[in-house]
Every structure is written in structure tokens, then in C-alpha cells.
Amino acid sequence: MANYNPYQQGGYQQGPPSQSQFTSNGAPYQYGGTPQAGYGPQGTPQSDQGYFPPQGQANTSNDGAMGALSGQMGGMGLGGDAAAPYRPSKKKNRHAYHNLEQPAAPAQTFGGATQGQYGYANADVSQQLGPGHPYAGHQVTPAMSQFPAPANAPFSPGLQAPSPGFRTPQPTTAPTGGPGVSQGKVDAEQIPSIPRLRDATTQYYLDNVYPTMEQHIPPPAAVPFVAHDQGNSSPKYARLTLNNIPSTTEALGTTALPLGIVLQPLAPLQEGEQAIPVLDFGEPGPPRCRRCRTYINPFMTFRSGGNKLVCNMCTFPNDVSPEYFAPTDPSGIRVDRGQRPELTAGTVEFMVPKEYWAKEPVGLHWLFLIDVGQEAIQRGFLQAFCQGILLALYGDAPEDEDDEAQDGQNPQIPRRIPLSSKVGFVTFDRSMYFFNCNAKLEQAQMLVMPDLEEPFVPLGNDGLFVDPYESKHVVTDLLRRLPNLFSRQKAPEPALLPALKGTQAALAATGGKIICSLSALPTWGPGRLLARDKNDLHGIETERKLFQTEHADWRKVAGSMVQSGIGVDFFLAAASGSYMDIATIGHVSALSGGETYFYPTFTSPRDVEKLTKEVERAVNRETGYQALMKVRCSNGLQVSAYHGNFLQHSFGADLELGSIDADKALGVMFSYDGKLDSKLDAHFQCALLYTTASGERRVRCTNTVASVSESLIEVMRFVDQDAVVSMIAKEAATRMTERTLKDIRNALTEKTIDILAGYRRINSGSTPPGQLILPENLKEFAMYILGLIKTRAFKAGGEPSDRRTHTMRFLKSASPLELSLFLYPRIIPLHSLPDNSCFPSPETGHLVVPPSIRASFGRIEDGGAYLVDDGQVCLLWLHENVSPNLLEDLFGPDQTSLDSLNPSLSSLPVLETHLNAQVRNLIAYWSSIRGSKALTLQLARQGLDGAEYEFARLLVEDRNNEAQSYVDWLVQLHRGIQVELSGRKTKDESSEGVGAGLEGAMAGLSNLIGR
């Protein structure tokens, strides 16, 4: 890149790029596209100037909200824990098998983690960190040997030394008039910052792996990390809200924290992580406890020389079968333990015998149910959906390889679905159209099914379901011809329910997955839907009727899908934001374990790339079907509730899911049925019985352990913030069909106050009562709950019921990663990117990601350009005074004004400019660390695009979405905590008393500070 000097006459000058920045064909290297290292060398720009003169530190305060609160907030003392005296435990030899001996291995970095069977680098990397690093000086907890006599030492997080994964409590309060106040404004550094936490932790885990037994506070969910399974499952699969559990229900009530676990059983692996072991025990199946049916796991113990297997859940001594017997050494450890993954890994899969089968397992059958109605054709939705199917099945394979690929063995076209999987195609408008895509045909044959009352499948499975690679020439020809094939049939009213019944009949024998597109409200045939949302129910108690279906036929079809082992994914495109009744249609996908992709204002070509990539993701991610799930826990605990998208016939029964994929998560709540023994640990096991896409029946077991403590100070030290937020969000979403939105918002406020007030009671210490003290591991908790209140599901004011319902179901099934980004987006300024950012570091090879900023307009600079990503949409916001040279560098020659940009742009052009390569690398990196939604750009030009309103909505620290700003929210919480602690709030008091007007909260705060 040429000299970036904004002070030169006429703006900065752009010259030809340095030759070393580009490949031999002139294309710049970018993340994910380079042959070996992933990134290519980039030339060093001649200057590190930005696109306009430096403006100093961004404004850290909002004059409207924060200026008036400087006096009150100064006394709140926003900070971490007060220093609590260390209380060493006196418990001895109370735990069974928690510290699994791991072979020593040399330290490895993020991208080069050891691939040995169960090795882990046990180096003290904290001493290598600079003095300013947040983890500098903390000792890594040594690997603890299980085999010597004292090795059965308890898993007690409170006894471990602080490790790099922990945030050690530090007294960082700001008393009135102290460092928290500076010249009449609030010091933003005293307010907990989610971007700061994410950035610091991300940097640490670039060079360190997360050992699942040595550290028991998982990294933040939005941070990419490599986990090393040491017997306790990776937090990517299971996150406990409390990794140190109170011994009694009364103690848990004092903390007001939920006791639960967030499960994502098929979470994707990250590069450098070991694959999940798959074990086959033959006809007998995997060893299990005969009393509680818990599967064999690392925390079961052997006695009587290896003849007895003691269950870690119910303590029942089981006889060991002769085929599984192995002797034990003098310390009681099996001599073959190191060769038994089920005894050393927290997450394993077992092949299961026929007694676990509901039907003969076969490869996953994909049935694409395609809307060919008038709206789908006219809006370009049909053509884009067909492009997405082609991309999912064949990628970017050249068309001239059709003939070579007929045998399915062409090495130039790698299979994107397993060998035994098959696909079928059905279209619908007012009728149904089944297609025979047999490989022996020149082109697909169409059979029309006009009977909507009792639809049936007019052809056998050999014609309807085919290998997509053997029939590639037929499939590609069909998908390319579909838009023209139905262009003359003007059928504006699709008949969706009969189409679902027909496809369910086609998959009833095998189970499978339906991928369905829809572009208009299905108002034709049986199960026709009407526009229920007429804005007359918004804001009143009966509004919750709009969030659920009352149509008996749709409920029946959804139940039939689950019983047949079928999951449904919907891709819904609303015409100009019209009503689609997602509450009814999406009920089928929610109950069956599928997903609903919603495009409220689908516009071609702007949304085409997003749609095609999301269809690709839905097909290519790890998917199982015919699934059953069971969660077991230790004696003294019991499952009290499940939250997610599934079918459960009665409480206590197994959860049934037609399908489950890598992006789905659910929450499980626990309650006490007795007192826990603090000398023993609490254990949890999630068993998912499912059929893989390749046609194997397996059980995936996820095992998690937590310590039990009678000290609430120790309990609060090991809280998982992301798990707590996820459980609260999922429970709140579940209540949307039972309570009013106002009640839910008040309940969320009450819950936040109760948790923070409970912590203040536990850690009374010597801190002044007028200071707001936040738990070290819940510092950002208040901001996440505020973001939750501001979501479309719960926000006050008017909001279409489709948007509310879609968000509600998303919250119920969202992974902690997706939820974290959704509640607090990541924002990076593009106009001031350092020259070396967004390229690989010469020392480590990792992408140098620039720091993100807080989601507040107070951080937005005049003339700036910002990339904003909440995991669902990615906006490129451009200030009206943005530099013409920046626009030219990003979008190409002659693109020097906002008006000249194409509003339908969904991706950046590939240009030979430094900034263009930086931003494309950043987008590619973000695409690899988000959930199920594709990352495509949407322009938000100030004063020009409607997406600017979405940008303003994502600035969650400001006053918007019918809710207060972050600062005002902390003021309200502080007042609520003071009321709670003073005893003036009774149990019968209305939640509206705590949620009083902000003026009252501010006035009360000044009086409470001195107490």
C-alpha cells in the first residue's frame, strides 16, 4: 500500500500496492485462502496513519446519560470482589477419581496442539507473559497424579492455585470522589467491559490450551480456544453454572444463582482438538450401572481387584463382566486405564447393539421441500434456494465434471455428505410435485400429487432418494431448471401442511431431515393459516397467544415428525415484512429439533449469498437424527426442568428429537432432593442416543464433575457467567407463552438484583455499603441481562409477533457462543486499523485481531467506518463524513461517496489494497468462530439505509430498544440491591417497586451511598 498520509493535499494518496502483498496471480492473500499457513505475507505499509487525523481517545461517556449521573455513579464503586480471606479446606481423601494422570508433553501453541492420544503441555506459560497481561504472574495448576495414594485427592477448585484461566478477585472499588470520578464524568474503565474481557482472554488462548481438569472456570463463550479433555468434558459440550456447588438448597437460595448445565452435545471441534473417541463393545454394549443406567466414565471406580465397578452417580457396586475385566494395581487403578478412552476422556461415543435401535439405521436421507409459488419466483427466492442446495452438495465443482462424477468417486469432487446419505426433491404450491432423479435418467421425471386431503408418495424410494453424486447430472439439471419450470404457474397461495404430511410419509420408514423453503403465508388447503397478528394484541396480556400455535393439525404433524425420527429446517422469506405465522410454522421445526431461518425482508440480490451459505451450513454441519437424550446426576440432586426445542411426553421421560445438529444447545435445571455430602463431588452425565449421518447408531456421553462446598465464598469464585446467562435466557424464553412480557422483564430485573445482593451478603467484608460490588466472575453479568431485556423477544414497545417468536425460539436453542454475541455484539473500527492487524503475526502465525470497542455511540468517531457482528447479521456502518479514500480502498475505483455504493452489496470485492485485504481477512476469521448463521455484509450508510436503525439497536450500552442505558441500568440495580439489603423489600412486594422510575433510583442512590 502506498503512503497513508491523510494530511497531504487532497487527502491521502493511494499508490500501487507492494508486490510482496499479493500472490503470483495478483490476488491478495486472505485468511483461510492461503495454501499452507492460512495467511500470506503482506508488505509493510509506509505509514501507520489512519484515514483521518487522530482524534485522541474515543469519548467514553454519553453526555446525555452519563454526565448527569457522575455524582451518583462515583460512589457506586464499580469494581471486582472485595478481598476475601482465604479459607483452606480441611477435607481429606474425599474424592474418587478426579485427577487423571496425563503423559507429559512439550508445550504447543494454538494451531499446533499435540495430537497425541491424551497428552497435554503442562508448562507454566504465565511466566512468559508480559507484565501488563491480565494473566501474568498466575501459576498454572500442576497436573495431579491419580495413581499414588494421595492422588485420590478431591477435585476442589478452592484448593487450586490461581491459573491463567481464572480471573483472580481483586478489590477494585471506586469510592466517592476517588479514582472512579474524573472531572465530573464517570471513568469508563471502572465500568465492566465485555470487549476488554473478550480481547484479553482471546490473546491468552491463542498460545495456551484449556485443560478441563486443571482449570474449572471455562473461557468466555465468545472466545475461541482449544480444549484438552482430561476426563472432565470440554465446556464446548457442557457448561455448569456452578463449578463449586452449595451443599444445601438453602445455601443455593442465598446466592440466587440457577443450578443447571448448558449442553451442546454435537458442538464442532476446533483445529488442534482431539476427535471424540468412538468405541465398540460389540453385542453386550457399553458397560453401564445396573441400578441407575449410567454409562461407564472416568469417575467410576474399581474394587475387589477389578471385579466390582462402583457407580459415581448412585454408588452401586456392579459386577464387572468377564470380557471387560482387567486387574487393578495396589492403588485400585486398572492396569489398562491408559488404553481405555472411556476411563480417561470426558466425552466419548459408544457404538450400540440392536437393542438400542428403533429402526434399522441408514444414512441420513435429506428431503428438500421447495416452495415454487408466485412470491418465491418473483422475489428470486426460489433461484437462490436452489443455488444453496447446489453449493451444499457440490461446492464450487465445475459443470464439466458432471459425467465424471456419476460414479460418485471422482476425487476432484469431494463428498460433502456421507457416502450412505441420499437426497430427494419435492416442490409445492397448490399441489405437490415429486421428482424421480434416478441416475439412469437423462433428466428428472416429475409426478404431480393434486390430492391435498390425503397425500401419498407416488414413487418408490429408489427414485425419490438418490445418491447425489451418482445422479449429479440429473440433480444439477433439475435445480437449474426449477425457476423456469414453474415461472408460468402463478400460484400465490402455497399449501404447506399437506406438503409436510407427504414428505413425512416419504421418510417414515427411515427417518431423516427435511429442508423446506417458504415465501408466503400458507393460506391454501388443509391446515391453511390466517393473519393472526393485527396489532390489536400487542402490549396486553393476551399477546402471548401470538407466540404459540393453537392449530391442532400443525401440532399433530410436529409430533408425527418426532416419532418418525425426522427433523425440519425452515427457510422463511417474508414478502416485504409480511406476516408468516412463525409461531405455527416454526412449531414443527422447534419440536422436531430443527431450526427456522427467517429473512423478514428478503431482497435479491442482497440476501442471496446469505441464504445460499446458510443452506450449505444446514446440510454440511454434523447432524444426527432419531435422537433420545437423558441427563443423569448424583444422589442428592434431581432434574427439575428442561429448556430448549424438543418433545417430552411427560416429565422424567427421555427427551425426543427428530434431529440434532452441531449448533443446537439446551439447558437442564437441577434441584435438591437432599443434602449433598461436601466430601464427595457432584457428577453429571448427558447421554445422547442418535443415528449419525453415515448411518451408525451411537450414544454420545458427556461427563461433567463439580466440587461440593459449604463455603458460599468458594461457590461464588467458580461461577460460569455464560452458563448462568444462558440458563436465565432459556428459562425466560420458555415463560413467554405463560406470562406477559412486562412480567418477564421485571423478573429478569429481580433476578439480577437478587444475585448481586446475595453476593453482597456473602462478601460483606469491610467495603462501604454505598459501593456497588460485583462478583469477579459475574462482572459483565448485568450488561448481558440488559442486552437480553433489549432483545426483540422481551423488549417493550411494538414488535411484530413473528420477530418475537423467532427470537424466543432462537434463545431456547442457542449455544453459549451464539447467545453471547447476540446479547453483546463485537464492533471493530476499520478506519483506524493498525497496518499489521488482520494479517498473520510473523512470530506466531495467528491472525492479529484488532481490539473491539464498546457498543455505545459514545465510542463512534466522526467519519468512521465500523464492522458490527452479533452472530446473526454483520453490518458495515459508514459515517456520512467517511473518507472517500477509505471507500475507494474498500470498494474499488470511483466509489468515493456513500451514494455511489451498491446498497445490495453482500460481500467486499477482491481488491489489491491493504485495507480491503484486512477487512476480508477479518470477515473470514469471524465466519469461522460464529454459529449457524452465515456472515455476509449489509451496508448501513448513515442517513441512507434502513439498516442504520439496526445498527443503533445493536449499541446495547445506550438508551434504546425501550430500555435504559448501561449506566442507568447499573443505577437501578444499585438501588434495588440497597433496598434488598436494607430489608425494606418484602417477599410480597411487587417487582414494580424495584423497577421504579430512574429519577427515583438516582435520587435514592445519593442517600444510600453514605449508609
Side-chain angles (χ1 to χ4, degrees):
M1 192 65 197
N3 190 358
Y4 282 62
N5 186 355
Y7 303 105
Q8 293 181 356
Q9 185 70 20
Y12 84 80
Q13 304 299 313
Q14 177 180 335
S18 170
Q19 184 64 31
S20 63
Q21 297 177 14
F22 307 100
T23 60
S24 58
N25 61 2
Y29 286 110
Q30 63 172 327
Y31 178 78
T34 52
Q36 297 177 357
Y39 306 96
Q42 298 290 335
T44 303
Q46 301 176 14
S47 171
D48 56 3
Q49 297 280 0
Y51 283 94
F52 45 81
Q55 299 183 7
Q57 188 74 16
N59 182 15
T60 58
S61 63
N62 185 318
D63 292 338
M66 300 176 73
L69 298 174
S70 57
Q72 292 86 348
M73 291 294 293
M76 293 176 64
L78 294 172
D81 295 86
Y86 177 68
R87 301 183 182 179
S89 173
K90 297 182 180 179
K91 304 165 190 172
K92 296 181 180 179
N93 302 323
R94 53 184 178 152
H95 301 266
Y97 288 87
H98 299 284
N99 310 315
L100 308 183
E101 182 178 24
Q102 307 298 333
Q108 298 288 341
T109 59
F110 181 95
T114 303
Q115 296 294 332
Q117 186 176 4
Y118 295 103
Y120 170 63
N122 188 29
D124 184 0
V125 295
S126 63
Q127 303 306 320
Q128 305 170 14
L129 304 176
H133 197 280
Y135 300 115
H138 295 180
Q139 299 293 323
V140 177
T141 305
M144 294 167 284
S145 172
Q146 180 180 356
F147 297 93
N152 292 336
F155 155 54
S156 178
L159 294 177
Q160 298 179 6
S163 66
F166 297 152
R167 295 186 289 178
T168 305
Q170 298 292 339
T172 55
T173 57
T176 306
V181 181
S182 176
Q183 297 182 353
K185 290 191 176 182
V186 176
D187 183 359
E189 297 305 314
Q190 293 294 327
I191 301 177
S193 170
I194 292 177
R196 187 186 306 127
L197 170 65
R198 289 175 178 172
D199 291 343
T201 316
T202 297
Q203 288 302 312
Y204 174 79
Y205 282 105
L206 283 177
D207 299 310
N208 299 273
V209 298
Y210 172 77
T212 61
M213 280 298 295
E214 297 172 32
Q215 297 179 20
H216 283 273
I217 298 182
V223 171
F225 65 94
V226 171
H228 174 68
D229 191 338
Q230 296 179 313
N232 192 29
S233 183
S234 165
K236 295 179 181 180
Y237 302 112
R239 298 180 80 110
L240 279 169
T241 57
L242 302 174
N243 294 285
N244 205 346
I245 298 176
S247 58
T248 64
T249 185
E250 292 79 15
L252 179 66
T254 301
T255 69
L257 288 165
L259 176 56
I261 189 170
V262 182
L263 298 168
Q264 191 179 355
L266 300 183
L269 292 171
Q270 189 164 311
E271 183 179 356
E273 292 182 324
Q274 297 159 348
I276 303 301
V278 180
L279 311 174
D280 190 354
F281 286 88
E283 192 61 30
R288 303 178 66 179
C289 175
R290 287 190 291 123
R291 176 190 288 176
C292 67
R293 306 303 293 160
T294 298
Y295 289 85
I296 184 74
N297 63 75
F299 305 105
M300 287 186 173
T301 57
F302 290 87
R303 295 180 183 172
S304 302
N307 288 290
K308 292 290 185 179
L309 176 65
V310 180
C311 177
N312 60 309
M313 297 289 181
C314 66
T315 69
F316 180 75
N318 298 270
D319 293 331
V320 177
S321 62
E323 57 269 18
Y324 192 63
F325 173 80
T328 59
D329 63 16
S331 61
I333 307 302
R334 278 178 65 119
V335 296
D336 65 344
R337 186 181 184 88
Q339 290 74 47
R340 290 286 186 180
E342 72 273 15
L343 300 179
T344 55
T347 304
V348 296
E349 284 199 338
F350 300 109
M351 303 286 290
V352 293
K354 290 185 177 181
E355 63 184 274
Y356 292 80
W357 297 2
K359 58 185 69 173
E360 184 77 22
V362 297
L364 182 57
H365 284 46
W366 296 89
L367 189 53
F368 295 95
L369 182 58
I370 306 172
D371 178 11
V372 292
Q374 181 178 339
E375 282 289 344
I377 296 173
Q378 290 181 349
R379 302 180 67 83
F381 187 66
L382 172 58
Q383 184 175 4
F385 190 72
C386 292
Q387 290 175 5
I389 298 174
L390 287 172
L391 181 64
L393 296 179
Y394 310 112
D396 298 322
E399 297 182 16
D400 58 3
E401 293 182 351
D402 288 357
D403 296 334
E404 301 178 21
Q406 289 188 30
D407 59 358
Q409 303 298 323
N410 185 0
Q412 297 181 359
I413 308 179
R415 294 189 67 99
R416 298 171 67 86
I417 61 175
L419 185 64
S420 55
S421 293
K422 295 185 177 182
V423 298
F425 301 92
V426 178
T427 62
F428 69 100
D429 45 27
R430 290 185 175 182
S431 302
M432 297 177 61
Y433 310 89
F434 292 79
F435 290 90
N436 184 349
C437 295
N438 193 288
K440 299 178 181 179
L441 300 174
E442 290 296 326
Q443 61 178 217
Q445 295 177 345
M446 182 174 71
L447 290 86
V448 182
M449 170 54 61
D451 186 358
L452 300 181
E453 297 293 336
E454 297 181 359
F456 61 92
V457 183
L459 52 93
N461 282 356
D462 291 341
L464 180 60
F465 292 103
V466 298
D467 186 304
Y469 297 91
E470 293 179 356
S471 301
K472 183 174 184 292
H473 62 294
V474 181
V475 171
T476 54
D477 176 72
L478 170 64
L479 293 175
R480 289 168 184 156
R481 290 191 301 112
L482 272 183
N484 293 328
L485 188 62
F486 291 92
S487 60
R488 296 183 180 180
Q489 295 185 225
K490 306 296 184 181
E493 301 171 314
L496 178 58
L497 188 63
L500 290 174
K501 289 182 178 179
T503 51
Q504 189 262 333
L507 288 169
T510 62
K513 190 70 179 279
I514 297 173
I515 305 291
C516 177
S517 68
L518 183 68
S519 58
L521 185 68
T523 56
W524 187 264
R528 65 178 63 88
L529 300 178
L530 304 176
R532 294 191 295 156
D533 188 357
K534 300 179 181 179
N535 297 326
D536 56 339
L537 299 179
H538 291 187
I540 61 177
E541 185 174 354
T542 53
E543 183 180 10
R544 60 176 178 263
K545 292 182 179 180
L546 298 175
F547 308 147
Q548 55 188 325
T549 179
E550 298 177 350
H551 206 296
D553 289 343
W554 284 84
R555 290 183 178 273
K556 183 177 179 181
V557 167
S560 298
M561 290 287 187
V562 179
Q563 293 176 2
S564 300
I566 303 170
V568 185
D569 284 353
F570 283 111
F571 290 81
L572 307 182
S576 303
S578 59
Y579 179 66
M580 293 289 288
D581 199 354
I582 290 181
T584 298
I585 298 173
H587 176 74
V588 178
S589 62
L591 201 68
S592 66
E595 184 169 0
T596 299
Y597 294 83
F598 183 42
Y599 309 89
T601 55
F602 181 85
T603 303
S604 179
R606 184 195 67 190
D607 298 323
V608 168
E609 182 180 1
K610 183 174 178 63
L611 172 62
T612 56
K613 286 185 176 181
E614 288 178 347
V615 172
E616 179 189 21
R617 169 73 177 178
V619 175
N620 295 149
R621 63 189 171 189
E622 183 177 3
T623 302
Y625 67 106
Q626 296 180 23
L628 295 173
M629 179 181 288
K630 180 75 172 181
V631 177
R632 297 177 174 88
C633 54
S634 295
N635 287 339
L637 295 173
Q638 60 184 358
V639 174
S640 61
Y642 291 96
H643 300 295
N645 293 331
F646 50 79
L647 174 64
Q648 188 179 28
H649 291 289
S650 62
F651 184 75
D654 294 350
L655 305 186
E656 298 183 33
L657 303 103
S659 67
I660 186 169
D661 58 66
D663 297 317
K664 298 299 179 296
L666 54 87
V668 185
M669 294 288 292
F670 302 99
S671 61
Y672 291 77
D673 60 3
K675 181 179 179 180
L676 298 180
D677 187 351
S678 59
K679 297 179 181 179
L680 300 174
D681 289 329
H683 298 271
F684 306 87
Q685 184 181 83
C686 166
L688 175 69
L689 174 64
Y690 73 109
T691 304
T692 66
S694 58
E696 294 180 338
R697 195 72 172 159
R698 298 180 183 177
V699 171
R700 175 167 292 197
C701 290
T702 302
N703 302 285
T704 311
V705 63
S707 181
V708 177
S709 176
E710 296 180 355
S711 168
L712 292 183
I713 293 179
E714 290 300 308
V715 169
M716 296 300 296
R717 287 182 59 199
F718 295 91
V719 178
D720 185 339
Q721 178 172 256
D722 288 291
V724 172
V725 172
S726 292
M727 290 305 309
I728 292 176
K730 292 180 187 302
E731 183 173 9
T734 303
R735 299 288 180 261
M736 279 186 63
T737 58
E738 306 168 4
R739 300 173 59 181
T740 66
L741 297 179
K742 182 179 179 180
D743 288 344
I744 294 175
R745 289 192 298 271
N746 289 337
L748 289 172
T749 303
E750 286 282 349
K751 188 67 173 178
T752 307
I753 292 173
D754 289 344
I755 290 174
L756 298 181
Y759 174 76
R760 188 58 191 264
R761 290 193 189 98
I762 296 168
N763 266 8
S764 56
S766 58
T767 55
Q771 292 180 336
L772 175 62
I773 307 298
L774 302 177
E776 179 64 22
N777 292 316
L778 291 174
K779 268 183 155 184
E780 299 80 19
F781 173 69
M783 182 63 249
Y784 278 122
I785 297 299
L786 177 61
L788 181 63
I789 292 174
K790 291 186 175 185
T791 62
R792 286 192 166 94
F794 306 121
K795 66 182 288 290
E799 190 72 27
S801 63
D802 276 349
R803 303 296 291 268
R804 289 197 188 275
T805 307
H806 179 254
T807 304
M808 172 192 74
R809 293 201 175 118
F810 164 77
L811 292 173
K812 291 171 68 174
S813 65
S815 67
L817 164 62
E818 278 194 291
L819 183 62
S820 178
L821 290 177
F822 185 67
L823 299 183
Y824 196 99
R826 47 193 174 195
I827 306 176
I828 288 184
L830 303 181
H831 54 275
S832 57
L833 287 177
D835 292 332
N836 65 336
S837 66
C838 303
F839 292 122
S841 167
E843 292 79 17
T844 64
H846 303 310
L847 190 75
V848 179
V849 180
S852 52
I853 64 172
R854 304 180 79 134
S856 171
F857 199 79
R859 299 284 178 155
I860 303 301
E861 298 178 346
D862 184 57
Y866 295 86
L867 202 61
V868 187
D869 176 31
D870 72 342
Q872 310 298 303
V873 297
C874 183
L875 301 178
L876 176 54
W877 186 82
L878 301 169
H879 191 273
E880 60 182 355
N881 297 326
V882 68
S883 166
N885 299 297
L886 182 146
L887 296 178
E888 205 166 26
D889 262 10
L890 271 181
F891 302 105
D894 302 326
Q895 306 293 320
T896 57
S897 67
L898 296 183
D899 292 330
S900 65
L901 301 180
N902 180 7
S904 297
L905 188 76
S906 61
S907 62
L908 289 179
V910 178
L911 304 177
E912 297 182 353
T913 63
H914 192 81
L915 179 65
N916 182 273
Q918 284 180 300
V919 178
R920 286 187 292 108
N921 286 348
L922 180 61
I923 292 174
Y925 170 71
W926 277 2
S927 299
S928 66
I929 55 171
R930 82 202 304 252
S932 62
K933 307 303 187 296
L935 193 155
T936 57
L937 285 183
Q938 184 173 353
L939 287 184
R941 300 168 295 175
Q942 188 178 26
L944 294 177
D945 296 318
E948 189 182 3
Y949 294 100
E950 181 71 10
F951 171 74
R953 192 185 70 82
L954 294 179
L955 300 177
V956 290
E957 290 198 16
D958 294 338
R959 184 191 299 272
N960 53 25
N961 295 293
E962 308 294 332
Q964 64 265 60
S965 68
Y966 187 18
V967 175
D968 295 347
W969 171 244
L970 291 175
V971 170
Q972 179 179 348
L973 295 180
H974 188 224
R975 177 182 180 272
I977 293 170
Q978 294 290 345
V979 171
E980 182 83 16
L981 296 178
S982 66
R984 285 182 285 163
K985 176 190 169 186
T986 64
K987 295 295 182 183
D988 298 331
E989 184 179 3
S990 170
S991 60
E992 296 176 359
V994 176
L998 185 58
E999 293 80 3
M1002 292 166 57
L1005 180 61
S1006 60
N1007 296 326
L1008 291 168
I1009 287 176
R1011 290 178 180 267

